[in-house]
Amino acid sequence: MKLELRGITKRFGSLVANDHIDLVVESGEIHALLGENGAGKSTLMNVLYGFYDPDDGEILIDDTAVNFDGPGDAMAAGIGMVHQHFMLVPVFTVAENVVLGHEPVRGGGLIDLTEARRRVREISDRFGFDVDPDAKIEDLTVGAQQRVEIIKALSREARVLILDEPTAVLTPQETDELIGIMRQLRDSGTSIVFITHKLREVRAVADRITVIRRGKVVGSASPSAPETELASLMVGRSVDLGVDKAPAQPGEVGLAVRDLTVLDALGVRQLDGISFDVARGEILAIAGVQGNGQTELTEVILGLQKPVVGSVQLDGLELIGRTVKEVLNAGVGFVPEDRTEDGLVADFSIAENLILDRYDQPPFAKGFSLYPSQVRTNAEKRTVEFDVRTGSVDAFASTLSGGNQQKVVLAREMSRPLRLLVASQPTRGLDVGSIEFVHSRIVAERDNGTPVLIVSTELDEVLALADRIVVMYRGQIVGIVPGGTDRDVLGLMMAGVPLVEAREQAAAHHTALGDADIATEEDNS
Amino acid sequence: MSTVVEAPTASSGPQSPRSGAVLAPISWKAPIAYAVVAVIALIGFVVVAPKGLETTFTVSTSSDFFQIAPITVPSTATALLLCLVALVLAGVSFWATRSRRKVGVWLPSVYGVALVLAFLTWSAAGKDSALPLTGLLQGSLFLAVPLVFGALAGLLCERSGIINIAIEGQLLAGAFLAAVVASITHSAYAGLVAAPIAGALVGLLLVLFSIRYMVDQIIVGVVLNVLVIGVTSYLFSTVLKVDAATFNSPPKLPVIGIPVLSQIPIIGPVLFRQTVLVYVMYVVVAVLQVMVFRSRWGLRLRAVGEHPKAADTVGIKVNLTRMKSTVLGGAVAGLGGAFFTVAAGLAFGKEMAGGKGYIALAAMILGRWSPAGALAAALLFGFSDNLRVVLGIVGTPIPSQIMLMTPYVVTIFAVAGVVGRVRAPASEGIPYVK
C-alpha cells in the first residue's frame, strides 16, 4: 500500500507543529522519520492516524484522497499505530486489548474469547512473539507490551504500521528483536513508518530517511549517510555527538551506599541489597530499563522513601532517617526524573523556581520576610550562567521549552556548593543543543571534585557520561563495570544476565546495532 | 579509570530466589481487631449478661408450606459458643498473619455472622416476643433495594470514568416522579416506569457538566443533590401538599409470591415473596454482572474508564460512551428511587432518600465496582438497617439512639476496614481531552 501526505499543516494556537509536510511511503519499505524531540513527528503521525484533524493538506492512499474522522477510519483504511506511550489497558488481558474496538461476539453481545485468543495466537505464532493471550498487560515486560501493540495493529490488517519512538523503552536486545520483526514485516509487504531521533537505529534498519526539523521536512537521506551528516541535518548545524571529558581523577569515597532494601506498599522488593560507592570527582551511572529500582534508589538518597535496612553515607554522614531538607542542606543536589512534576512549579516564575530549595535562607529571606530583589538578582545571574532562554525571569516556568526548564532545574541545584549531585534522566526529551549543554555542566561538576550519580535509561547517555556503570535489574545490582563497556554486554546485563555470561553471549551474538557499529568503525578506518 | 567491582549479589544472579533476610513488616491490625472485638463480645454477651434466660427465634411465617417450630435456646450458653467461634477465627487470623498467608472472604463473613447471632441471642434474651429471623432477613432485602440500585448506578458511571455523587439526587428524583405519576394514573406500575426517567435526567445533567464543561465531577454531583432536594421540596410544598389526593397518594406495588419457590422455608418468603421491583433488581444485577465483564459493551465501558486514550485510538467514542452509561446509571438509580414511594406504599416526603444515595456509594466501593459485590454489600447495609427496626420492636437493652447509628457505623467499618486496598477505575473523575 502506498501512502502519501501532501502539504499537511497542523497548528496548535500560534505554534505550527507541522508546516506543509510532504511524505511518500512506498509499499514494503521501512521509512524512517528522523527528527529531534518537539520537531513535530508525533503530531504528523497523529494526523495520519486520524487522531488530530489537519488544518490543511491531504492524505492519499494508493493515490486516492482519504479523509479520516477518527482513529477508527484510519484503522479501517489499513493504518496501524504503535504509540510511544502504549495504548493498552493495564488491567485487561492481552486478548481483550487486542480485540478492543473490533470484538468478535456471540449471541447477546458477549465476547467470543476463544476467537479472541485464536487471533492473538495466530499472529503471535506467525512472528514468533510468544505472547500468552490470557496474561494481564500490567504483568508483562515493556518489550512484551510492545509486541502486544504490534499484534493489535496487525490483527486489524494494518498494511502501514507506524512505530512512534518504539525503542525508547527497550533494552538493546529487545531493540534487536524489534528490528528483526520490522524486517520480517517489511518482507511480508507491510510498509513501516519508523519515528525516532536515534541515528544508529535509523542507519541499521531504514530503507529511506526523511528528516524533519521545526515542523518542516528539511531533507531526505539514504541510510548509508554518515551519522554526523544525519545529525547536522536533524539539528540544523554541525554537532559534536560525543562528550568532551578528560579521564576521571577519582578521589576518596564521597557517597557510600550499603545493603539498601526497600519494599513497596505490597511488600514487593523495589531495592534488594544495593551497595556501591561513588568517589569524589567521578561520575557513576546507573543503567537499567525503567522501573528496575532506580527511582526508589534516588528517592531513598533524598529521604523521600524509607528503606527497611541499609545505610547511605555522604562523607561519613548518615543520610537515612534525615528529612529531605536536612539532606539538601548536607549538600545534595537533586535533578528529578520528571522535571514538570517534581522539578518545577509550573505556575511559579522562573525566579521563584530558582530558589525553591533556599526560599527561607539568607540572602533570600530573613524571619518572615522575603527579599524579592535578591531573588531577582539571583535569577538574572543564573539564567545567564546556565543559558536559559527567556524574555523575563518573571515568566512562568511553564512557558519555557523542555530544554530551558531543565536548565532552570540544573541552575537551581548546582548554584550552591555540592557534596553530591544526583541526576535522574537529566536529558530526557531534550534537543541535541540542550543535551550538549547539560552534559558539559555535569562533567564540569565532576571536575570540581563532586561525586556524581546519574540515573539514565538511555544507554547512549550512560556511555557518554559514565566513569563507572552500575547495571540494575529488578532492584538488584547485576554488576559494576567500567565506562565504555560494550553496549551489547550492558544490554544483556540490563536484562539480568550476570557480567561473565553477558560477555560470553555478546561475543557469540552481535545485535543488529552492534553490527552497524562495527561496520561504521570499518568505514572510518 | 577505576577497577571493576563485582557486586556481591551478582554471583547469585538476580533471578535466584530471594533470601528471607528482609521481609515486609507484618501488620497485626486485623487479627488484633478481631480478637479485641470478640473478647468485648464475650464479656458483654456472656460474662456480665443476666444468666438463666432463654432466647426464641421464629423461622417460619404463617403462610409457609412447611411449618418449623420456633427454636428456643439457652441465651448464655449459645452466646458463649458463638463468641468462642469468633475467638477461634481470630486465632486463625493470627496464625495466617504470622505465616503470611492470605485468608479468604469466608473468615470475616463467618466471624461477622457469629457475632451478629451472639448479639441477637443476647438482645432477645428473656423477651416474651420471639425474634423473627425470617422477618429480619426479609426486611433486610427490602431495605437493601434502593442501595442495590444506587450502587449499580454508581458502578455504571464510575466504570466509564464519571464519578457519580448524585446517586442521592437520582434516588430522590425517581421517588418523586414515581409518586406523582402513580398517583395521577392510579397505577403503581406507571410510577415504576416513570421513575427511571427522572433519574436519567439527573444523570444527563451530571454528564453534561462533567464532559461538556469539565466541571469537577464531585462538585457537580453534590450540587445536583442539593438541586434535586430543592426542586422536589418546592414542588412538594406548592403542588403535592395542596392536592395530595391527586398528586401524592401513590398506590402500593403488590407483593407477588412466586409459586412453589415462595414456599421454601426461610429462603422462600425472603427471596420470592416480594414486589416486582425486587424481581427486577435480581434481573438487573445478574444481567449487569454478565454484561459488564463479558460483553462487548462492558469491555468498551471499562476501557473508557481505565484508559480513555487507548479506547479512542481503537475507534471507541469516549465521551459518547461515558454519556450513555451515565444516563443509564441515572435511570437505574431513578428506578431504585421508586422504592421509597410506590414499593414502600408511602406518599412522597421532603428529602425522603435520607442519605441512602451516599450509603449506596459506599456499597459500590465495598463491592469493588462489581454488580454482585454491590449486591452483597448493599445486603449487609440493609441488614444493619433492619436490625435496628426489628430490635426496636422486640425490645433491646441498647438505647435507641445507639441503634439508629448502626447502619452508619457498619458502613464506616466496612469501607475502612474490610475493603482494604481496592482499585478504582484508573481514569475516573478525569475529563477526557484529546
Side-chain angles (χ1 to χ4, degrees):
Chain A
M1 190 170 92
K2 184 185 166 193
L3 177 76
E4 191 174 350
L5 302 179
R6 277 192 202 154
I8 296 287
T9 302
K10 176 72 191 172
R11 298 185 195 91
F12 295 101
S14 62
L15 176 80
V16 184
N18 290 155
D19 190 356
H20 293 94
I21 289 191
D22 299 311
L23 182 73
V24 180
V25 182
E26 298 287 349
S27 149
E29 73 169 1
I30 299 179
H31 194 124
L33 206 53
L34 184 65
E36 287 206 75
N37 289 300
K41 297 165 294 182
S42 294
T43 307
L44 183 66
M45 287 307 118
N46 278 320
V47 168
L48 173 55
Y49 192 59
F51 207 68
Y52 294 148
D53 279 331
D55 296 313
D56 196 13
E58 55 181 354
I59 301 167
L60 295 94
I61 290 177
D62 291 332
D63 299 318
T64 318
V66 289
N67 186 27
F68 297 148
D69 204 19
D73 290 353
M75 273 181 316
I79 298 172
M81 180 147 173
V82 175
H83 296 261
Q84 183 176 3
H85 304 285
F86 299 146
M87 292 298 153
L88 298 170
V89 182
V91 296
F92 283 10
T93 66
V94 170
E96 284 172 336
N97 268 290
V98 167
V99 299
L100 183 66
H102 69 150
E103 306 84 352
V105 287
R106 293 178 281 136
L110 297 186
I111 293 171
D112 186 348
L113 268 179
T114 322
E115 167 65 16
R117 289 191 194 103
R118 194 197 59 77
R119 286 187 191 175
V120 175
R121 280 208 196 91
E122 195 232 325
I123 298 168
S124 172
D125 291 350
R126 180 146 41 108
F127 295 99
F129 282 178
D130 188 28
V131 170
D132 172 12
D134 291 316
K136 267 203 184 160
I137 295 296
E138 60 189 0
D139 300 332
L140 296 180
T141 63
V142 178
Q145 291 185 15
Q146 189 170 58
R147 291 195 284 274
V148 175
E149 279 278 37
I150 295 174
I151 292 175
K152 198 168 123 186
L154 295 179
S155 76
R156 279 154 230 253
E157 277 150 21
R159 285 169 299 152
V160 175
L161 191 62
I162 306 167
L163 301 170
D164 188 2
E165 299 277 2
T167 59
V169 289
L170 302 183
T171 65
Q173 275 68 26
E174 283 174 322
T175 302
D176 198 45
E177 283 171 31
L178 178 70
I179 288 174
I181 291 165
M182 285 164 69
R183 288 179 175 152
Q184 208 181 340
L185 285 169
R186 173 192 59 194
D187 296 343
S188 67
T190 310
S191 317
I192 292 177
V193 182
F194 176 43
I195 304 176
T196 188
H197 65 272
K198 294 186 182 173
L199 303 169
R200 308 170 61 250
E201 290 165 6
V202 168
R203 300 187 65 233
V205 73
D207 296 319
R208 276 207 295 162
I209 303 170
T210 297
V211 185
I212 292 187
R213 187 170 72 233
R214 293 193 187 157
K216 289 182 186 161
V217 172
V218 291
S220 54
S222 89
S224 56
E227 249 180 63
T228 47
E229 187 188 319
L230 290 175
S232 55
L233 204 52
M234 181 166 89
V235 181
R237 61 180 169 83
S238 66
V239 286
D240 182 9
L241 292 170
V243 176
D244 280 333
K245 146 167 132 35
Q249 309 287 333
E252 57 194 280
V253 168
L255 177 76
V257 174
R258 288 288 172 274
D259 303 323
L260 269 193
T261 297
V262 170
L263 306 170
D264 66 11
L266 297 171
V268 179
R269 278 159 211 246
Q270 299 300 321
L271 287 183
D272 196 355
I274 297 285
S275 301
F276 62 87
D277 292 330
V278 189
R280 305 183 135 275
E282 173 192 50
I283 298 178
L284 181 80
I286 311 263
V289 178
Q290 178 98 47
N292 276 286
Q294 303 97 315
T295 307
E296 287 77 8
L297 176 61
T298 55
E299 288 187 352
V300 165
I301 293 174
L302 196 68
L304 286 167
Q305 284 205 28
K306 295 253 170 299
V308 178
V309 291
S311 91
V312 175
Q313 291 194 341
L314 180 60
D315 298 329
L317 178 77
E318 180 62 56
L319 294 185
I320 298 295
R322 287 177 197 273
T323 63
V324 175
K325 188 158 195 165
E326 287 169 338
V327 172
L328 291 177
N329 288 342
V332 176
F334 180 65
V335 179
E337 59 183 34
D338 185 343
R339 64 179 159 270
T340 49
E341 278 291 316
D342 303 325
L344 294 167
V345 182
D347 293 342
F348 277 16
S349 71
I350 295 163
E352 287 164 336
N353 269 294
L354 279 166
I355 57 150
L356 279 185
D357 53 346
R358 289 189 299 160
Y359 67 94
D360 57 344
Q361 293 165 12
F364 306 117
K366 196 175 165 191
F368 284 113
S369 35
L370 194 68
Y371 296 107
S373 62
Q374 291 289 346
V375 174
R376 216 188 145 77
T377 317
N378 171 67
E380 274 158 4
K381 216 167 84 191
R382 296 299 165 211
T383 47
V384 172
E385 187 188 344
F386 281 83
D387 189 29
V388 180
R389 311 246 170 102
T390 172
S392 155
V393 294
D394 298 321
F396 283 160
S398 55
T399 61
L400 295 175
S401 71
N404 282 311
Q405 287 185 346
Q406 189 72 336
K407 286 179 194 167
V408 171
V409 175
L410 281 174
R412 179 180 68 221
E413 299 301 328
M414 289 179 163
S415 59
R416 58 200 166 96
L418 291 185
R419 303 182 77 87
L420 170 70
L421 175 66
V422 180
S424 236
Q425 313 293 352
T427 61
R428 178 181 279 176
L430 301 193
D431 55 281
V432 171
S434 302
I435 293 175
E436 284 177 314
F437 181 85
V438 170
H439 281 176
S440 66
R441 291 302 306 208
I442 289 172
V443 172
E445 192 63 43
R446 175 200 78 170
D447 293 340
N448 271 346
T450 309
V452 179
L453 183 67
I454 299 287
V455 173
S456 180
T457 52
E458 290 275 351
L459 213 39
D460 289 331
E461 179 164 72
V462 168
L463 287 168
L465 285 177
D467 299 316
R468 282 192 303 146
I469 303 169
V470 168
V471 185
M472 280 183 71
Y473 176 72
R474 293 197 182 164
Q476 294 187 326
I477 291 181
V478 182
I480 302 181
V481 295
T485 299
D486 180 65
R487 97 176 29 233
D488 286 350
V489 174
L490 287 173
L492 286 163
M493 290 171 73
M494 281 161 75
V497 180
L499 177 63
V500 180
E501 260 176 71
R503 281 203 181 116
E504 286 165 9
Q505 286 187 28
H509 172 72
H510 273 291
T511 61
L513 287 179
D515 284 340
D517 279 353
I518 292 166
T520 312
E521 278 158 26
E522 281 168 0
D523 286 350
N524 293 344
S525 61
Chain B
M1 198 64 63
S2 43
T3 51
V4 176
V5 183
E6 291 275 351
T9 46
S11 54
S12 59
Q15 285 104 334
S16 63
R18 294 177 175 184
S19 60
V22 187
L23 290 164
I26 294 178
S27 167
W28 292 101
K29 281 181 207 157
I32 288 174
Y34 285 136
V36 168
V37 173
V39 168
I40 292 172
L42 190 67
I43 294 167
F45 303 151
V46 180
V47 178
V48 302
K51 304 285 179 292
L53 300 175
E54 289 189 327
T55 306
T56 311
F57 295 103
T58 52
V59 289
S60 295
T61 55
S62 53
S63 56
D64 278 359
F65 188 72
F66 300 102
Q67 287 292 323
I68 299 174
I71 301 166
T72 301
V73 292
S75 304
T76 316
T78 310
L80 176 68
L81 182 70
L82 289 164
C83 286
L84 287 179
V85 168
L87 274 175
V88 167
L89 288 172
V92 171
S93 175
F94 267 106
W95 167 79
T97 309
R98 198 189 148 87
S99 52
R100 294 173 182 277
R101 272 168 222 264
K102 290 227 179 293
V103 287
V105 198
W106 66 270
L107 194 142
S109 309
V110 176
Y111 177 88
V113 168
L115 281 191
V116 165
L117 282 176
F119 172 70
L120 290 177
T121 311
W122 168 76
S123 308
K127 299 280 188 263
D128 300 332
S129 53
L131 192 84
L133 264 189
T134 311
L136 184 62
L137 294 175
Q138 199 171 17
S140 305
L141 181 66
F142 184 66
L143 290 175
V145 170
L147 300 179
V148 173
F149 280 109
L152 292 177
L155 86 87
L156 277 171
C157 298
E158 297 210 356
R159 281 283 183 187
S160 80
I162 301 283
I163 297 177
N164 186 2
I165 300 284
I167 300 172
E168 177 80 1
Q170 290 159 350
L171 288 173
L172 191 61
F176 178 83
L177 198 64
V180 173
V181 171
S183 307
I184 295 174
T185 59
H186 304 290
S187 160
Y189 291 103
L192 210 54
V193 173
I197 298 171
L201 280 176
V202 180
L204 190 63
L205 280 179
L206 171 70
V207 79
L208 189 71
F209 280 100
S210 307
I211 290 178
R212 190 74 193 277
Y213 303 107
M214 292 188 218
V215 187
D216 185 298
Q217 293 165 12
I218 291 175
I219 293 175
V220 180
V222 172
V223 168
L224 282 176
N225 286 340
V226 177
L227 175 76
V228 175
I229 288 176
V231 169
T232 54
S233 299
Y234 170 74
L235 290 174
F236 175 72
S237 312
T238 55
V239 181
L240 267 55
K241 243 181 172 172
V242 177
D243 189 357
T246 315
F247 295 114
N248 199 10
S249 48
K252 189 176 194 274
L253 278 179
V255 170
I256 303 169
I258 306 266
V260 185
L261 288 178
S262 65
Q263 303 298 322
I264 303 169
I266 306 181
I267 297 172
V270 173
L271 295 182
F272 303 109
R273 210 175 290 162
Q274 298 278 6
T275 64
V276 73
L277 187 61
V278 175
Y279 300 132
V280 170
M281 182 182 85
Y282 298 155
V283 174
V284 173
V285 170
V287 167
L288 281 185
Q289 181 70 28
V290 174
M291 293 301 279
V292 167
F293 296 110
R294 310 270 292 277
S295 77
R296 169 159 66 187
W297 168 79
L299 191 73
R300 292 182 177 189
L301 178 80
R302 288 182 289 133
V304 162
E306 292 286 347
H307 195 333
K309 197 166 181 191
D312 196 356
T313 56
V314 292
I316 297 170
K317 307 269 184 238
V318 173
N319 284 334
L320 187 67
T321 308
R322 287 183 168 179
M323 194 165 280
K324 283 183 188 165
S325 68
T326 308
V327 171
L328 178 66
V332 169
L335 185 61
F339 161 85
F340 297 105
T341 49
V342 293
L346 296 172
F348 181 80
K350 275 186 186 180
E351 297 178 41
M352 76 186 307
K356 287 275 197 293
Y358 299 108
I359 296 191
L361 207 59
M364 173 196 73
I365 296 169
L366 185 60
R368 302 181 181 212
W369 287 265
S370 96
L375 175 69
L379 286 173
L380 174 69
F381 295 149
F383 179 79
S384 71
D385 203 5
N386 196 41
L387 191 59
R388 167 179 69 85
V389 179
V390 170
L391 289 182
I393 297 165
V394 174
T396 161
I398 295 177
S400 63
Q401 289 85 349
I402 301 261
M403 285 311 296
L404 274 174
M405 284 164 44
T406 15
Y408 309 102
V409 172
V410 168
T411 306
I412 291 172
F413 273 96
V415 174
V418 182
V419 91
R421 294 175 67 87
V422 292
R423 199 147 63 165
S427 295
E428 71 168 19
I430 306 164
Y432 178 65
V433 195
K434 264 187 195 177

